Amino acid sequence: MNATFTFDETKAAQVLGVFARRCGGFFDYYLAVKALYALDREALLRWGQPVVGGAYRMLKFGPVNQAFMDATKPERAGYIATCFERSGNEIIMINDPGTDELSAAEIKLAEALCNEWKHLTFDAARSKAMSFPECSSAAPCECITPE
């Protein structure tokens, strides 16, 4: 079964802000993509709905939230672009998006997942993301549902 949830760019920016604040104002792009997927995955397991939403896809290096990846492209001019800029593989916070759209439980989960993912190498993050059950049989670019 494939599920798509409405993408909330404001909440995505606020989650990215939680990640960046815990890491001195910036966060590795690849780790952000994986940690955000893990956040929505865990939220679905706990609460039956994601924090950020969007379509989830399996790519060569693991599962992603496609809408989040699109929203963080350097040429995009959405809300995330008013709060963050991309410099190579880093996402740098230029305006704090706050957390007013996130619940206390969502913030706590985002902080925990940030702590879990922020020190991983690329290979370790890929391996961790690929260990999710929904990734075992998905083909690249296939829509997936976090299990």
Side-chain angles (χ1 to χ4, degrees):
M1 179 177 109
N2 294 324
T4 301
F5 301 92
T6 302
F7 178 67
D8 188 326
E9 187 170 358
T10 300
K11 287 180 98 171
Q14 291 183 357
V15 167
L16 198 51
V18 170
F19 293 169
R21 279 189 297 281
R22 295 188 81 73
C23 296
F26 63 92
F27 203 77
D28 178 86
Y29 173 72
Y30 182 77
L31 295 179
V33 168
K34 298 305 173 205
L36 189 122
Y37 177 85
L39 173 75
D40 268 2
R41 183 180 189 283
E42 185 61 29
L44 280 164
L45 291 171
R46 290 183 185 194
W47 308 310
Q49 64 183 26
V51 174
V52 173
Y56 307 102
R57 299 201 182 281
M58 174 59 73
L59 298 183
K60 181 180 177 182
F61 297 112
V64 300
N65 178 316
Q66 187 64 54
F68 177 74
M69 287 185 65
D70 292 343
T72 54
K73 288 181 179 175
E75 66 274 5
R76 183 141 183 300
Y79 181 64
I80 287 177
T82 67
C83 301
F84 301 90
E85 63 183 28
R86 289 262 313 266
S87 178
N89 288 331
E90 287 189 345
I91 298 177
I92 302 164
M93 187 163 52
I94 53 175
N95 291 305
D96 191 329
T99 57
D100 60 317
E101 296 295 318
L102 299 172
S103 70
E106 290 170 333
I107 293 168
K108 185 175 179 178
L109 182 58
E111 290 171 342
L113 285 165
C114 177
N115 290 340
E116 185 178 324
W117 287 80
K118 70 182 179 180
H119 297 296
L120 297 179
T121 64
F122 178 91
D123 288 335
R126 179 183 184 277
S127 179
K128 184 177 183 73
M130 294 297 282
S131 72
F132 296 136
E134 63 272 18
C135 299
S136 63
S137 62
C141 297
E142 182 179 342
C143 291
I144 58 174
T145 299
E147 295 178 0

